[in-house]
Amino acid sequence: CCPPASSGNAPLLPHFPDAKPLLTLTAVRYAALPAGTRTFRDYPWSPRWPPSEMAARITAFLIAEAPSLAEQRAATPPIVAT
């Protein structure tokens, strides 16, 4: 639906914040591999929260998920240019 974020900017849909967006994290070194991208659909969300609370809860969720993403990446060898 939306182009990937670049330079730290994330595209937002016109119906944000009523519709919950997908969160996609991509490890640049592993982007071409299945383990290089992970999309989250199930994370804390309420359109009634103020933006600061949305940001705080999503940040806390991503911090809690980061170790499992790192473990998944560690199990996959990086792409080596030949």
Side-chain angles (χ1 to χ4, degrees), residues 19-72:
K20 183 178 182 178
L22 297 177
L23 298 178
T24 301
L25 301 179
T26 302
V28 175
R29 228 176 135 188
Y30 298 86
L33 301 174
T37 300
R38 189 158 170 202
T39 299
F40 298 95
R41 292 177 174 85
D42 187 26
Y43 58 89
W45 179 263
S46 173
R48 295 179 301 276
W49 295 337
S52 60
E53 184 171 352
M54 282 183 196
R57 289 187 184 220
I58 290 171
T59 299
F61 172 81
L62 293 174
I63 289 170
E65 287 294 318
S68 66
L69 185 59
E71 288 172 9
Q72 181 181 358

Side-chain angles (χ1 to χ4, degrees), residues 1-4 9-23 43 45:
C1 116
C2 297
N9 298 319
L12 295 177
L13 301 174
H15 49 277
F16 178 84
D18 295 330
K20 183 178 182 178
L22 297 177
L23 298 178
Y43 58 89
W45 179 263

